[in-house]
Amino acid sequence: MTRSLWIGTEHEKLGFNLSDNSRMSYDQIAQVLRKLQSRYGWNPIMEGEFIIGVQLDGQSVTLEPGGQFELSGAPVETIHQTCAEVNSHLYQVKTICEELGTGFLGLGFDPKWRIDDIPVMPKGRYALMKKYMPTVGTMGLDMMFRTCTVQVNLDFGSEKDMIEKFRVGLALQPIANALFASSPFKEGKPTGLLSGRGWVWTDVDKARSGGLPFVFEDNMSFERYVDYAENVPMYFVYRDGKYINALGQSWKAFMKGQLPALPGEYPTMDDWANHLTTIFPEVRLKKFLEMRGADGGPWRMICALSALWVGLIYEDQAQRESLALVSDWTAEEREYLRVEVPKYGMRTPFRGSTIQSIAKQVVAIAKGGLERRGHDEVGFLKQLEIIADTGLNQADHLLELYNTKWQRSVDPVYREMMY
């Protein structure tokens, strides 16, 4: 690659009270945000009278619908830099939380609480989404209020490069899910799944999520993705600090000035950028590619996700090897993996073997890519090498603890997986 390609890491975490493991309220979360502002110099992000995030030096902290606390990192050049950023953020929030009697949990799905137990954050778009989600899928509210992910945002150098990276990303998201699965519990019990978060995405809203089979067709292009995005039903239009309900309405009608929610008005580029944030495929295209297929987890796994994808597609030979690995997988096989891996993880049957054998190859390709990049980043893959070699991910270990040391209680997970 001839120019610098940026790395941006995002991770979500569940805030909870140390006294009873209940989820943090908005008022408690607002205290954390205000202390980040007063103590560490972050700038507030407001919606009306409510603080809904903070930002500093290209980084932002924002709130998901149930108060999941998300750090979106600044674009950086190496895994060391993105990991240092995560370290600094976790130090700051941990210091504040110790004073407030709260903590943050690194898991892919809330292990204990029902949706009705979880506070709703005061963001206008979430009120609209909460009404709409149950009309288009069975697990949209689970996604909104109970899931956490870690993702990495990566550059591309050209349209051709984007297509190659997009295809590798979509095909291998289930492998990332198997490696990073950490969400085997729901409402205090094992679910029979290893990635409850991954399973939720199988029925959120089929119009705006999934594996995007068209990306593998010969006519894939930037324009083809725009066509797809234009056909995704709208959620809202943001005007004068307010979210205007446009649920289920057509972007194409908006382009013609015929949006029922705003008749006679035409969209701006900000409207388009907002619309793109309401599309939730396994890999999402903006001015970069978002790899969205991994459960949230502990600090070392946040850094490992960035290392995995940088190793796979930020070095030419590794990208060719990754593309060759998945080039003959069919659309049916890719969809099979997307649906089955959340259940079986590394033990998912595939082509006469299991996903574990693919995971070993994937981690080896990433390791080679990082070695050739020359930034001494290979160490960040260590945990993934262990998972691939043993076939046991975080969810497997948590289930073992649940059935033995924890005496079939999920409460100890809050201390085990607290940042």
Side-chain angles (χ1 to χ4, degrees), residues 113-175:
W113 302 106
R114 297 175 301 119
I115 290 170
D116 291 345
D117 298 322
I118 297 169
V120 183
M121 296 300 105
K123 292 178 73 170
R125 67 182 283 171
Y126 295 156
L128 293 174
M129 288 171 67
K130 188 178 182 184
K131 289 180 192 169
Y132 184 68
M133 281 295 182
T135 70
V136 290
T138 61
M139 294 186 278
L141 296 182
D142 285 314
M143 179 276 288
M144 289 180 66
F145 294 102
R146 298 205 276 194
T147 62
C148 285
T149 188
V150 53
Q151 70 178 52
V152 63
N153 304 327
L154 298 174
D155 265 337
F156 42 82
S158 65
E159 184 172 66
K160 177 177 180 291
D161 187 43
M162 176 275 292
I163 293 167
E164 290 186 358
K165 286 176 163 60
F166 210 155
R167 288 174 178 170
V168 170
L170 284 170
L172 293 183
Q173 285 310 311
I175 311 306

Side-chain angles (χ1 to χ4, degrees), residues 2-77:
T2 55
R3 67 180 186 92
S4 286
L5 296 173
W6 298 102
I7 304 161
T9 305
E10 302 183 17
H11 79 274
E12 301 162 355
K13 48 202 171 293
L14 297 168
F16 69 98
N17 287 287
L18 298 178
S19 58
D20 61 4
N21 297 332
S22 62
R23 290 277 286 269
M24 287 168 67
S25 67
Y26 168 71
D27 287 343
Q28 290 176 303
I29 291 168
Q31 277 189 281
V32 177
L33 293 173
R34 288 295 187 196
K35 285 180 180 292
L36 285 172
Q37 178 189 359
S38 62
R39 189 172 300 177
Y40 298 109
W42 292 72
N43 302 305
I45 303 169
M46 305 297 294
E47 187 170 306
E49 66 196 90
F50 298 105
I51 185 168
I52 56 166
V54 290
Q55 54 194 0
L56 179 70
D57 298 334
Q59 306 169 72
S60 64
V61 175
T62 53
L63 305 181
E64 293 298 302
Q68 301 97 315
F69 211 72
E70 177 177 1
L71 172 70
S72 299
V76 296
E77 291 189 340

Side-chain angles (χ1 to χ4, degrees), residues 161-206:
D161 187 43
M162 176 275 292
I163 293 167
E164 290 186 358
K165 286 176 163 60
F166 210 155
R167 288 174 178 170
V168 170
L170 284 170
L172 293 183
Q173 285 310 311
I175 311 306
N177 194 354
L179 287 164
F180 287 81
S182 70
S183 48
F185 306 121
K186 176 181 177 180
E187 296 176 13
K189 298 190 292 286
T191 57
L193 304 164
L194 295 177
S195 175
R197 182 211 58 83
W199 178 248
V200 158
W201 279 108
T202 63
D203 193 20
V204 167
D205 180 349
K206 289 183 169 52

Side-chain angles (χ1 to χ4, degrees), residues 398-409 412 416:
L398 293 173
L399 287 166
E400 173 69 18
L401 286 167
Y402 173 85
N403 285 311
T404 55
K405 183 179 175 184
W406 297 350
Q407 299 180 324
R408 302 185 68 78
S409 167
E416 184 77 23

Side-chain angles (χ1 to χ4, degrees), residues 1 18 44 67 92 102 104 110 122 196 203 205 218 256 272 291 297 367 374 384 396:
M1 306 287 178
L18 298 178
Q92 292 177 9
T102 57
F104 281 104
D110 187 302
D203 193 20
D205 180 349
D218 290 342
K256 296 174 184 172
W272 178 242
M291 303 296 171
K367 186 175 183 179
L384 300 187
D396 292 309

Side-chain angles (χ1 to χ4, degrees), residues 202-347:
T202 63
D203 193 20
V204 167
D205 180 349
K206 289 183 169 52
R208 70 184 74 243
S209 61
L212 306 186
F214 70 85
V215 171
F216 295 85
E217 295 171 2
D218 290 342
N219 66 347
M220 176 56 188
S221 62
F222 288 125
E223 186 175 357
R224 180 73 184 83
Y225 190 84
V226 169
D227 290 343
Y228 156 75
E230 284 187 315
N231 284 298
V232 173
M234 292 178 64
Y235 277 166
F236 61 82
V237 181
Y238 190 63
R239 287 287 185 277
D240 301 321
K242 292 191 170 54
Y243 289 92
I244 296 165
N245 185 340
L247 290 169
Q249 295 180 24
S250 163
W251 178 268
K252 289 185 173 180
F254 198 10
M255 293 287 284
K256 296 174 184 172
Q258 297 170 3
L259 190 70
L262 279 177
E265 282 208 36
Y266 293 87
T268 65
M269 285 304 294
D270 283 344
D271 293 326
W272 178 242
N274 281 333
H275 181 58
L276 290 179
T277 69
T278 69
I279 300 170
F280 310 123
E282 295 294 289
V283 178
R284 180 161 65 185
L285 175 62
K286 295 180 179 174
K287 293 180 179 178
F288 45 83
L289 288 166
E290 300 177 349
M291 303 296 171
R292 298 166 43 85
D295 283 11
W299 168 82
R300 65 183 177 275
M301 297 299 281
I302 297 171
C303 303
L305 185 83
S306 298
L308 177 69
W309 289 110
V310 166
L312 290 172
I313 61 173
Y314 262 21
E315 191 276 328
D316 290 340
Q317 180 181 328
Q319 182 165 313
R320 286 194 300 271
E321 291 173 357
S322 301
L323 202 57
L325 178 65
V326 304
S327 62
D328 68 341
W329 294 7
T330 66
E332 292 74 24
E333 285 176 319
R334 292 191 300 271
E335 183 62 12
Y336 160 82
L337 291 176
R338 190 174 79 88
V339 173
E340 296 300 308
V341 163
K343 298 185 227 174
Y344 305 113
M346 304 291 275
R347 295 178 287 282

